[in-house]
Amino acid sequence: MYKQLSANDGAGYMMTTEGEVLVKELTKDISDFSELLLYSFQNEFGDKSIATDNTHYSMPRIKFSVLLTMPPQAAEKLIKLTLDKGLISMLIIQQLPTNKLEWEDPFADEGEPLEDIFKKIGDTMVYAIYKEMQRLKDREIQFVMTPEQKQDFSKTFKEQFNENTQLFGVTFSEFQFRLGVICFKLAMVLSMIKKYDESADKSKLFGDDEQSLLCSDAIYNIAKIITITMTRHTLRCYQIIGMKEQKSSLMQDYRMSPQNALLYEEMNENFSSEDVKAWCSEHNASYDTARRWLRNMCDHQLLSRLLPGRFRKLKAV
């Protein structure tokens, strides 16, 4: 892996429909694969000495991504491994819906095969952007967000950070910090694709005097929506799968105060933060204290946080 990345100036990606392959690599950690993933998320400097062939590979900035699909059982193993190796904050998960499964005719003519479509994209857009990066290798292009976008960016992720760390503790702080980086990178990549799409000359995407790549409001909003959606999927998987083994003991360890127990008892099976606020007003209770109860109950697997401000009971007390 290091040899191939070094030959390509530290850039590369891996895609597989068999996610268990990555799980096996992380389990064995041959050639420090987990270390490579850590380097690549922040595009950091990476080097590796291979004793077997007496070779040293050095890359100023590693640009490596992994896209994979897997069944829930393999995802459970992956989450546990990434927790142990400090990679969980670099992992974003999307749970595919299973309530609309249907048989597809394998003999139907669906037009151009996906393999051919992706090859065309690679041969045109991806190759053109790659050549442009080579042409501009010694020239810096600054990705620029508008003042309004920056203000909304900070507001959005500050609210997410405060809510999630209140409910899940400092374990999630690193994950929340990474979300801002993920959103920024998505906006940058989508802006570059938009730049390619709108350029008349595909062999020269930036003019001689251009020094910046501006993020449009439409692109920024798309990147933000994707990031928030992925956050919800990831938090749900982390809680339900990654913390499953701790569920039984955590439930037994938690001792509620009488008012905390009353709140839990009087909430419906599915409830929202607004329901809790109304309950606090009715019972003359502090909402800040109630939020702390919600966090503790989530930590002890008495509640499942479905979405921001949405909860479900996991066990009757």
Side-chain angles (χ1 to χ4, degrees):
M1 184 71 75
Y2 276 89
K3 180 178 180 180
Q4 292 172 321
L5 284 174
S6 180
N8 199 40
D9 196 28
Y13 63 89
M14 180 176 76
M15 293 190 295
T16 176
T17 56
E18 300 295 335
E20 289 184 284
V21 173
L22 180 60
V23 174
K24 290 178 181 178
E25 288 296 321
L26 288 172
T27 302
K28 296 179 294 186
D29 216 2
I30 296 174
S31 298
D32 298 323
F33 187 64
S34 59
E35 186 180 74
L36 174 62
L37 294 177
L38 287 167
Y39 286 150
S40 62
F41 188 87
Q42 293 286 101
N43 304 136
E44 296 173 349
F45 171 84
D47 62 348
K48 183 68 179 175
S49 296
I50 309 297
T52 52
D53 56 4
N54 195 28
T55 307
H56 181 82
Y57 300 107
S58 179
M59 291 161 281
R61 294 179 65 197
I62 298 179
K63 302 171 285 291
F64 179 64
S65 301
V66 179
L67 174 66
L68 49 88
T69 58
M70 63 179 68
Q73 297 83 357
E76 181 176 352
K77 295 177 185 177
L78 179 63
I79 289 175
K80 290 176 183 176
L81 280 168
T82 52
L83 275 168
D84 294 339
K85 295 178 180 293
L87 297 170
I88 184 65
S89 63
M90 303 175 190
L91 192 69
I92 52 176
I93 301 171
Q94 180 173 3
Q95 184 179 9
L96 300 178
T98 57
N99 58 337
K100 295 182 180 180
L101 294 177
E102 58 184 23
W103 175 262
E104 291 188 4
D105 183 359
F107 307 106
D109 183 9
E110 297 182 353
E112 191 174 9
L114 282 175
E115 291 83 356
D116 294 345
I117 294 174
F118 285 130
K119 187 176 186 306
K120 284 183 179 179
I121 293 173
D123 292 342
T124 53
M125 182 187 71
V126 176
Y127 182 72
I129 293 176
Y130 173 73
K131 294 298 289 184
E132 183 72 350
M133 289 171 64
Q134 285 189 319
R135 187 178 74 86
L136 301 173
K137 192 171 184 178
D138 299 324
R139 179 172 145 199
E140 184 175 313
I141 300 293
Q142 186 74 33
F143 178 60
V144 179
M145 297 171 66
T146 66
E148 293 77 17
Q149 290 168 3
K150 292 178 181 177
Q151 184 177 10
D152 182 75
F153 183 95
S154 293
K155 178 178 180 292
T156 299
F157 289 103
K158 181 180 180 180
E159 289 175 355
Q160 288 242 321
F161 176 84
N162 290 338
E163 184 167 9
N164 288 332
T165 51
Q166 276 282 330
L167 290 168
F168 296 105
V170 294
T171 306
F172 280 85
S173 61
E174 184 180 353
F175 174 74
Q176 291 293 151
F177 291 141
R178 303 275 188 188
L179 284 175
V181 179
I182 290 171
C183 184
F184 185 85
K185 288 186 175 183
L186 279 173
M188 185 166 53
V189 170
L190 292 174
S191 295
M192 192 64 218
I193 293 174
K194 182 173 181 286
K195 179 72 173 177
Y196 167 83
D197 190 54
E198 294 177 348
S199 295
D201 185 359
K202 306 299 184 187
S203 64
K204 190 176 181 180
L205 304 181
F206 289 90
D208 295 334
D209 298 328
E210 281 189 89
Q211 301 292 328
S212 61
L213 175 64
L214 182 64
C215 180
S216 68
D217 289 339
I219 291 294
Y220 166 72
N221 287 325
I222 291 171
K224 185 174 73 170
I225 290 170
I226 291 174
T227 306
I228 292 173
T229 302
M230 291 294 190
T231 304
R232 292 170 179 172
H233 283 262
T234 304
L235 289 174
R236 186 167 185 282
C237 288
Y238 182 94
Q239 183 181 18
I240 293 175
I241 299 176
M243 303 293 287
K244 186 170 65 175
E245 291 183 348
Q246 302 177 26
K247 181 176 179 180
S248 177
S249 62
L250 288 173
M251 283 181 170
Q252 294 173 3
D253 291 343
Y254 186 53
R255 295 292 179 267
M256 294 185 182
S257 67
Q259 198 171 30
N260 185 174
L262 182 63
L263 168 66
Y264 189 93
E265 181 182 343
E266 294 189 353
M267 288 296 107
N268 295 324
E269 181 180 356
N270 294 287
F271 63 95
S272 68
S273 297
E274 295 302 317
D275 297 327
V276 176
K277 286 181 181 178
W279 185 92
C280 289
S281 297
E282 182 181 344
H283 292 79
N284 195 27
S286 166
Y287 179 61
D288 288 338
T289 302
R291 287 184 67 183
R292 188 171 67 251
W293 291 340
L294 293 176
R295 172 186 162 183
N296 290 336
M297 288 189 285
C298 286
D299 286 345
H300 288 79
Q301 298 297 293
L302 294 165
L303 293 179
S304 170
R305 182 174 179 272
L306 304 175
L307 295 170
R310 302 291 301 180
F311 305 90
R312 174 183 293 162
K313 292 183 181 179
L314 295 179
K315 181 186 176 183
V317 175

mmCIF file of all heavy atoms in Angstrom, residues 148-183:
data_model
loop_
_atom_site.group_PDB
_atom_site.id
_atom_site.type_symbol
_atom_site.label_atom_id
_atom_site.label_comp_id
_atom_site.label_asym_id
_atom_site.label_seq_id
_atom_site.Cartn_x
_atom_site.Cartn_y
_atom_site.Cartn_z
ATOM 1 N N GLU A 148 -21.131 34.785 5.268
ATOM 2 C CA GLU A 148 -22.396 34.209 5.738
ATOM 3 C C GLU A 148 -22.275 32.697 5.911
ATOM 4 O O GLU A 148 -22.803 32.120 6.881
ATOM 5 C CB GLU A 148 -23.519 34.534 4.748
ATOM 6 C CG GLU A 148 -23.894 35.999 4.650
ATOM 7 C CD GLU A 148 -22.907 36.819 3.833
ATOM 8 O OE1 GLU A 148 -22.105 36.203 3.077
ATOM 9 O OE2 GLU A 148 -22.933 38.055 3.941
ATOM 10 N N GLN A 149 -21.582 32.038 4.980
ATOM 11 C CA GLN A 149 -21.381 30.599 5.089
ATOM 12 C C GLN A 149 -20.539 30.253 6.318
ATOM 13 O O GLN A 149 -20.841 29.299 7.045
ATOM 14 C CB GLN A 149 -20.713 30.069 3.822
ATOM 15 C CG GLN A 149 -21.602 30.090 2.591
ATOM 16 C CD GLN A 149 -20.823 29.842 1.309
ATOM 17 O OE1 GLN A 149 -19.622 29.593 1.328
ATOM 18 N NE2 GLN A 149 -21.517 29.920 0.181
ATOM 19 N N LYS A 150 -19.485 31.031 6.538
ATOM 20 C CA LYS A 150 -18.636 30.788 7.708
ATOM 21 C C LYS A 150 -19.418 30.942 9.009
ATOM 22 O O LYS A 150 -19.255 30.152 9.953
ATOM 23 C CB LYS A 150 -17.452 31.761 7.697
ATOM 24 C CG LYS A 150 -16.458 31.519 6.575
ATOM 25 C CD LYS A 150 -15.349 32.564 6.609
ATOM 26 C CE LYS A 150 -14.353 32.355 5.484
ATOM 27 N NZ LYS A 150 -13.301 33.400 5.462
ATOM 28 N N GLN A 151 -20.271 31.961 9.060
ATOM 29 C CA GLN A 151 -21.073 32.195 10.263
ATOM 30 C C GLN A 151 -22.042 31.036 10.499
ATOM 31 O O GLN A 151 -22.178 30.547 11.620
ATOM 32 C CB GLN A 151 -21.840 33.510 10.127
ATOM 33 C CG GLN A 151 -22.626 33.899 11.369
ATOM 34 C CD GLN A 151 -23.315 35.252 11.201
ATOM 35 O OE1 GLN A 151 -23.369 35.822 10.126
ATOM 36 N NE2 GLN A 151 -23.864 35.773 12.300
ATOM 37 N N ASP A 152 -22.708 30.594 9.437
ATOM 38 C CA ASP A 152 -23.644 29.476 9.563
ATOM 39 C C ASP A 152 -22.916 28.184 9.898
ATOM 40 O O ASP A 152 -23.413 27.359 10.674
ATOM 41 C CB ASP A 152 -24.433 29.307 8.257
ATOM 42 C CG ASP A 152 -25.451 28.196 8.341
ATOM 43 O OD1 ASP A 152 -26.498 28.398 8.986
ATOM 44 O OD2 ASP A 152 -25.196 27.104 7.776
ATOM 45 N N PHE A 153 -21.732 27.998 9.317
ATOM 46 C CA PHE A 153 -20.900 26.814 9.579
ATOM 47 C C PHE A 153 -20.602 26.700 11.079
ATOM 48 O O PHE A 153 -20.825 25.651 11.699
ATOM 49 C CB PHE A 153 -19.613 26.932 8.762
ATOM 50 C CG PHE A 153 -18.683 25.760 8.879
ATOM 51 C CD1 PHE A 153 -18.710 24.741 7.941
ATOM 52 C CD2 PHE A 153 -17.764 25.676 9.913
ATOM 53 C CE1 PHE A 153 -17.851 23.656 8.029
ATOM 54 C CE2 PHE A 153 -16.896 24.605 10.021
ATOM 55 C CZ PHE A 153 -16.938 23.590 9.078
ATOM 56 N N SER A 154 -20.097 27.777 11.659
ATOM 57 C CA SER A 154 -19.751 27.766 13.082
ATOM 58 C C SER A 154 -20.990 27.570 13.951
ATOM 59 O O SER A 154 -20.957 26.821 14.934
ATOM 60 C CB SER A 154 -19.049 29.067 13.467
ATOM 61 O OG SER A 154 -17.790 29.168 12.841
ATOM 62 N N LYS A 155 -22.083 28.232 13.595
ATOM 63 C CA LYS A 155 -23.325 28.112 14.366
ATOM 64 C C LYS A 155 -23.842 26.673 14.339
ATOM 65 O O LYS A 155 -24.188 26.094 15.379
ATOM 66 C CB LYS A 155 -24.376 29.067 13.806
ATOM 67 C CG LYS A 155 -25.733 28.993 14.499
ATOM 68 C CD LYS A 155 -26.685 30.021 13.899
ATOM 69 C CE LYS A 155 -28.062 29.961 14.572
ATOM 70 N NZ LYS A 155 -28.771 28.716 14.266
ATOM 71 N N THR A 156 -23.862 26.068 13.148
ATOM 72 C CA THR A 156 -24.403 24.715 12.993
ATOM 73 C C THR A 156 -23.612 23.695 13.784
ATOM 74 O O THR A 156 -24.171 22.901 14.551
ATOM 75 C CB THR A 156 -24.412 24.317 11.505
ATOM 76 O OG1 THR A 156 -25.245 25.225 10.777
ATOM 77 C CG2 THR A 156 -24.920 22.893 11.320
ATOM 78 N N PHE A 157 -22.288 23.710 13.621
ATOM 79 C CA PHE A 157 -21.476 22.683 14.254
ATOM 80 C C PHE A 157 -21.249 22.949 15.745
ATOM 81 O O PHE A 157 -20.995 22.012 16.503
ATOM 82 C CB PHE A 157 -20.167 22.512 13.502
ATOM 83 C CG PHE A 157 -20.370 21.849 12.168
ATOM 84 C CD1 PHE A 157 -20.357 22.591 11.003
ATOM 85 C CD2 PHE A 157 -20.619 20.490 12.081
ATOM 86 C CE1 PHE A 157 -20.581 21.986 9.778
ATOM 87 C CE2 PHE A 157 -20.840 19.880 10.866
ATOM 88 C CZ PHE A 157 -20.820 20.629 9.708
ATOM 89 N N LYS A 158 -21.384 24.207 16.154
ATOM 90 C CA LYS A 158 -21.339 24.497 17.590
ATOM 91 C C LYS A 158 -22.571 23.906 18.277
ATOM 92 O O LYS A 158 -22.477 23.300 19.348
ATOM 93 C CB LYS A 158 -21.271 26.005 17.827
ATOM 94 C CG LYS A 158 -21.198 26.371 19.307
ATOM 95 C CD LYS A 158 -21.125 27.876 19.495
ATOM 96 C CE LYS A 158 -21.048 28.228 20.983
ATOM 97 N NZ LYS A 158 -20.972 29.701 21.192
ATOM 98 N N GLU A 159 -23.744 24.072 17.658
ATOM 99 C CA GLU A 159 -24.973 23.516 18.215
ATOM 100 C C GLU A 159 -24.895 21.988 18.275
ATOM 101 O O GLU A 159 -25.288 21.372 19.275
ATOM 102 C CB GLU A 159 -26.177 23.951 17.374
ATOM 103 C CG GLU A 159 -26.527 25.426 17.518
ATOM 104 C CD GLU A 159 -27.640 25.846 16.582
ATOM 105 O OE1 GLU A 159 -28.067 25.006 15.747
ATOM 106 O OE2 GLU A 159 -28.092 27.010 16.671
ATOM 107 N N GLN A 160 -24.382 21.370 17.188
ATOM 108 C CA GLN A 160 -24.225 19.910 17.167
ATOM 109 C C GLN A 160 -23.256 19.461 18.252
ATOM 110 O O GLN A 160 -23.494 18.472 18.951
ATOM 111 C CB GLN A 160 -23.709 19.468 15.794
ATOM 112 C CG GLN A 160 -24.731 19.563 14.694
ATOM 113 C CD GLN A 160 -25.036 18.207 14.100
ATOM 114 O OE1 GLN A 160 -24.160 17.378 13.919
ATOM 115 N NE2 GLN A 160 -26.295 17.989 13.788
ATOM 116 N N PHE A 161 -22.164 20.184 18.384
ATOM 117 C CA PHE A 161 -21.156 19.830 19.386
ATOM 118 C C PHE A 161 -21.738 19.899 20.796
ATOM 119 O O PHE A 161 -21.586 18.967 21.593
ATOM 120 C CB PHE A 161 -19.956 20.781 19.267
ATOM 121 C CG PHE A 161 -18.903 20.559 20.316
ATOM 122 C CD1 PHE A 161 -17.929 19.588 20.144
ATOM 123 C CD2 PHE A 161 -18.889 21.317 21.478
ATOM 124 C CE1 PHE A 161 -16.959 19.372 21.111
ATOM 125 C CE2 PHE A 161 -17.928 21.117 22.459
ATOM 126 C CZ PHE A 161 -16.957 20.136 22.269
ATOM 127 N N ASN A 162 -22.424 20.999 21.110
ATOM 128 C CA ASN A 162 -22.975 21.167 22.451
ATOM 129 C C ASN A 162 -24.014 20.096 22.763
ATOM 130 O O ASN A 162 -24.015 19.517 23.861
ATOM 131 C CB ASN A 162 -23.610 22.556 22.590
ATOM 132 C CG ASN A 162 -22.578 23.664 22.601
ATOM 133 O OD1 ASN A 162 -21.411 23.437 22.896
ATOM 134 N ND2 ASN A 162 -22.996 24.869 22.256
ATOM 135 N N GLU A 163 -24.881 19.809 21.809
ATOM 136 C CA GLU A 163 -25.951 18.833 22.056
ATOM 137 C C GLU A 163 -25.398 17.418 22.197
ATOM 138 O O GLU A 163 -25.738 16.690 23.131
ATOM 139 C CB GLU A 163 -26.983 18.881 20.933
ATOM 140 C CG GLU A 163 -28.159 17.948 21.186
ATOM 141 C CD GLU A 163 -29.324 18.209 20.250
ATOM 142 O OE1 GLU A 163 -29.151 18.993 19.292
ATOM 143 O OE2 GLU A 163 -30.392 17.628 20.469
ATOM 144 N N ASN A 164 -24.515 17.037 21.273
ATOM 145 C CA ASN A 164 -24.008 15.656 21.294
ATOM 146 C C ASN A 164 -23.079 15.389 22.470
ATOM 147 O O ASN A 164 -23.095 14.304 23.055
ATOM 148 C CB ASN A 164 -23.306 15.332 19.979
ATOM 149 C CG ASN A 164 -24.284 15.170 18.830
ATOM 150 O OD1 ASN A 164 -25.424 14.795 19.037
ATOM 151 N ND2 ASN A 164 -23.845 15.478 17.622
ATOM 152 N N THR A 165 -22.244 16.359 22.827
ATOM 153 C CA THR A 165 -21.363 16.136 23.977
ATOM 154 C C THR A 165 -22.145 16.157 25.285
ATOM 155 O O THR A 165 -21.785 15.473 26.236
ATOM 156 C CB THR A 165 -20.239 17.190 24.028
ATOM 157 O OG1 THR A 165 -20.795 18.505 23.919
ATOM 158 C CG2 THR A 165 -19.245 16.973 22.907
ATOM 159 N N GLN A 166 -23.237 16.928 25.319
ATOM 160 C CA GLN A 166 -24.100 16.911 26.502
ATOM 161 C C GLN A 166 -24.734 15.541 26.674
ATOM 162 O O GLN A 166 -24.851 15.018 27.779
ATOM 163 C CB GLN A 166 -25.206 17.973 26.374
ATOM 164 C CG GLN A 166 -24.804 19.358 26.795
ATOM 165 C CD GLN A 166 -24.803 19.519 28.295
ATOM 166 O OE1 GLN A 166 -25.558 18.876 29.009
ATOM 167 N NE2 GLN A 166 -23.942 20.389 28.790
ATOM 168 N N LEU A 167 -25.146 14.935 25.560
ATOM 169 C CA LEU A 167 -25.866 13.667 25.622
ATOM 170 C C LEU A 167 -24.939 12.459 25.687
ATOM 171 O O LEU A 167 -25.253 11.457 26.330
ATOM 172 C CB LEU A 167 -26.791 13.528 24.406
ATOM 173 C CG LEU A 167 -27.994 14.480 24.402
ATOM 174 C CD1 LEU A 167 -28.679 14.465 23.042
ATOM 175 C CD2 LEU A 167 -28.991 14.076 25.482
ATOM 176 N N PHE A 168 -23.784 12.538 25.023
ATOM 177 C CA PHE A 168 -22.924 11.365 24.907
ATOM 178 C C PHE A 168 -21.581 11.516 25.605
ATOM 179 O O PHE A 168 -20.791 10.577 25.621
ATOM 180 C CB PHE A 168 -22.689 11.038 23.424
ATOM 181 C CG PHE A 168 -23.940 10.658 22.693
ATOM 182 C CD1 PHE A 168 -24.546 11.540 21.826
ATOM 183 C CD2 PHE A 168 -24.530 9.418 22.884
ATOM 184 C CE1 PHE A 168 -25.702 11.206 21.148
ATOM 185 C CE2 PHE A 168 -25.682 9.072 22.217
ATOM 186 C CZ PHE A 168 -26.276 9.964 21.352
ATOM 187 N N GLY A 169 -21.293 12.692 26.154
ATOM 188 C CA GLY A 169 -20.045 12.855 26.882
ATOM 189 C C GLY A 169 -18.877 13.238 25.994
ATOM 190 O O GLY A 169 -18.996 13.367 24.770
ATOM 191 N N VAL A 170 -17.711 13.386 26.615
ATOM 192 C CA VAL A 170 -16.528 13.870 25.903
ATOM 193 C C VAL A 170 -16.006 12.850 24.891
ATOM 194 O O VAL A 170 -15.192 13.194 24.037
ATOM 195 C CB VAL A 170 -15.395 14.208 26.899
ATOM 196 C CG1 VAL A 170 -15.792 15.381 27.766
ATOM 197 C CG2 VAL A 170 -15.038 13.003 27.760
ATOM 198 N N THR A 171 -16.492 11.604 24.967
ATOM 199 C CA THR A 171 -16.080 10.593 23.986
ATOM 200 C C THR A 171 -16.352 11.082 22.570
ATOM 201 O O THR A 171 -15.621 10.768 21.634
ATOM 202 C CB THR A 171 -16.849 9.272 24.223
ATOM 203 O OG1 THR A 171 -16.686 8.881 25.571
ATOM 204 C CG2 THR A 171 -16.348 8.185 23.293
ATOM 205 N N PHE A 172 -17.409 11.867 22.411
ATOM 206 C CA PHE A 172 -17.815 12.304 21.087
ATOM 207 C C PHE A 172 -17.193 13.631 20.669
ATOM 208 O O PHE A 172 -17.427 14.090 19.562
ATOM 209 C CB PHE A 172 -19.340 12.419 21.009
ATOM 210 C CG PHE A 172 -20.034 11.117 20.797
ATOM 211 C CD1 PHE A 172 -20.339 10.322 21.874
ATOM 212 C CD2 PHE A 172 -20.347 10.660 19.529
ATOM 213 C CE1 PHE A 172 -20.962 9.115 21.706
ATOM 214 C CE2 PHE A 172 -20.964 9.449 19.346
ATOM 215 C CZ PHE A 172 -21.278 8.668 20.436
ATOM 216 N N SER A 173 -16.419 14.265 21.547
ATOM 217 C CA SER A 173 -15.878 15.576 21.204
ATOM 218 C C SER A 173 -14.972 15.511 19.981
ATOM 219 O O SER A 173 -15.061 16.353 19.075
ATOM 220 C CB SER A 173 -15.119 16.157 22.393
ATOM 221 O OG SER A 173 -14.032 15.320 22.765
ATOM 222 N N GLU A 174 -14.083 14.494 19.934
ATOM 223 C CA GLU A 174 -13.185 14.368 18.786
ATOM 224 C C GLU A 174 -13.972 14.108 17.516
ATOM 225 O O GLU A 174 -13.689 14.679 16.450
ATOM 226 C CB GLU A 174 -12.197 13.223 19.016
ATOM 227 C CG GLU A 174 -11.159 13.092 17.913
ATOM 228 C CD GLU A 174 -10.190 11.947 18.159
ATOM 229 O OE1 GLU A 174 -10.234 11.343 19.248
ATOM 230 O OE2 GLU A 174 -9.399 11.653 17.248
ATOM 231 N N PHE A 175 -15.000 13.285 17.619
ATOM 232 C CA PHE A 175 -15.847 13.001 16.460
ATOM 233 C C PHE A 175 -16.508 14.278 15.957
ATOM 234 O O PHE A 175 -16.571 14.535 14.757
ATOM 235 C CB PHE A 175 -16.891 11.957 16.862
ATOM 236 C CG PHE A 175 -17.914 11.667 15.804
ATOM 237 C CD1 PHE A 175 -17.577 10.925 14.688
ATOM 238 C CD2 PHE A 175 -19.208 12.140 15.926
ATOM 239 C CE1 PHE A 175 -18.520 10.665 13.715
ATOM 240 C CE2 PHE A 175 -20.148 11.876 14.957
ATOM 241 C CZ PHE A 175 -19.802 11.130 13.843
ATOM 242 N N GLN A 176 -17.003 15.105 16.874
ATOM 243 C CA GLN A 176 -17.664 16.339 16.479
ATOM 244 C C GLN A 176 -16.701 17.307 15.809
ATOM 245 O O GLN A 176 -17.053 17.979 14.844
ATOM 246 C CB GLN A 176 -18.291 17.001 17.705
ATOM 247 C CG GLN A 176 -19.481 16.263 18.282
ATOM 248 C CD GLN A 176 -20.675 16.259 17.353
ATOM 249 O OE1 GLN A 176 -21.466 15.351 17.377
ATOM 250 N NE2 GLN A 176 -20.815 17.260 16.525
ATOM 251 N N PHE A 177 -15.461 17.391 16.316
ATOM 252 C CA PHE A 177 -14.476 18.274 15.691
ATOM 253 C C PHE A 177 -14.197 17.842 14.252
ATOM 254 O O PHE A 177 -14.025 18.673 13.353
ATOM 255 C CB PHE A 177 -13.172 18.264 16.494
ATOM 256 C CG PHE A 177 -13.283 18.922 17.844
ATOM 257 C CD1 PHE A 177 -12.644 18.399 18.949
ATOM 258 C CD2 PHE A 177 -14.038 20.074 18.007
ATOM 259 C CE1 PHE A 177 -12.742 19.000 20.200
ATOM 260 C CE2 PHE A 177 -14.150 20.689 19.251
ATOM 261 C CZ PHE A 177 -13.499 20.149 20.347
ATOM 262 N N ARG A 178 -14.139 16.530 14.024
ATOM 263 C CA ARG A 178 -13.858 16.020 12.680
ATOM 264 C C ARG A 178 -14.975 16.352 11.703
ATOM 265 O O ARG A 178 -14.748 16.470 10.503
ATOM 266 C CB ARG A 178 -13.665 14.505 12.714
ATOM 267 C CG ARG A 178 -12.568 14.028 13.650
ATOM 268 C CD ARG A 178 -11.215 14.065 12.997
ATOM 269 N NE ARG A 178 -10.203 13.426 13.833
ATOM 270 C CZ ARG A 178 -8.917 13.452 13.590
ATOM 271 N NH1 ARG A 178 -8.467 14.107 12.548
ATOM 272 N NH2 ARG A 178 -8.067 12.847 14.380
ATOM 273 N N LEU A 179 -16.209 16.474 12.213
ATOM 274 C CA LEU A 179 -17.345 16.735 11.329
ATOM 275 C C LEU A 179 -17.170 18.028 10.546
ATOM 276 O O LEU A 179 -17.534 18.112 9.377
ATOM 277 C CB LEU A 179 -18.640 16.803 12.140
ATOM 278 C CG LEU A 179 -19.197 15.468 12.609
ATOM 279 C CD1 LEU A 179 -20.403 15.712 13.500
ATOM 280 C CD2 LEU A 179 -19.575 14.603 11.432
ATOM 281 N N GLY A 180 -16.632 19.039 11.205
ATOM 282 C CA GLY A 180 -16.392 20.295 10.506
ATOM 283 C C GLY A 180 -15.420 20.120 9.357
ATOM 284 O O GLY A 180 -15.617 20.675 8.267
ATOM 285 N N VAL A 181 -14.371 19.316 9.582
ATOM 286 C CA VAL A 181 -13.393 19.040 8.523
ATOM 287 C C VAL A 181 -14.058 18.301 7.370
ATOM 288 O O VAL A 181 -13.825 18.594 6.193
ATOM 289 C CB VAL A 181 -12.212 18.217 9.082
ATOM 290 C CG1 VAL A 181 -11.210 17.910 7.976
ATOM 291 C CG2 VAL A 181 -11.526 18.957 10.216
ATOM 292 N N ILE A 182 -14.914 17.308 7.707
ATOM 293 C CA ILE A 182 -15.604 16.524 6.678
ATOM 294 C C ILE A 182 -16.493 17.420 5.825
ATOM 295 O O ILE A 182 -16.495 17.340 4.596
ATOM 296 C CB ILE A 182 -16.423 15.404 7.339
ATOM 297 C CG1 ILE A 182 -15.490 14.343 7.923
ATOM 298 C CG2 ILE A 182 -17.376 14.756 6.343
ATOM 299 C CD1 ILE A 182 -16.178 13.310 8.783
ATOM 300 N N CYS A 183 -17.259 18.301 6.473
ATOM 301 C CA CYS A 183 -18.149 19.209 5.738
ATOM 302 C C CYS A 183 -17.353 20.140 4.833
ATOM 303 O O CYS A 183 -17.715 20.362 3.675
ATOM 304 C CB CYS A 183 -18.995 20.013 6.720
ATOM 305 S SG CYS A 183 -20.212 21.092 5.940
#
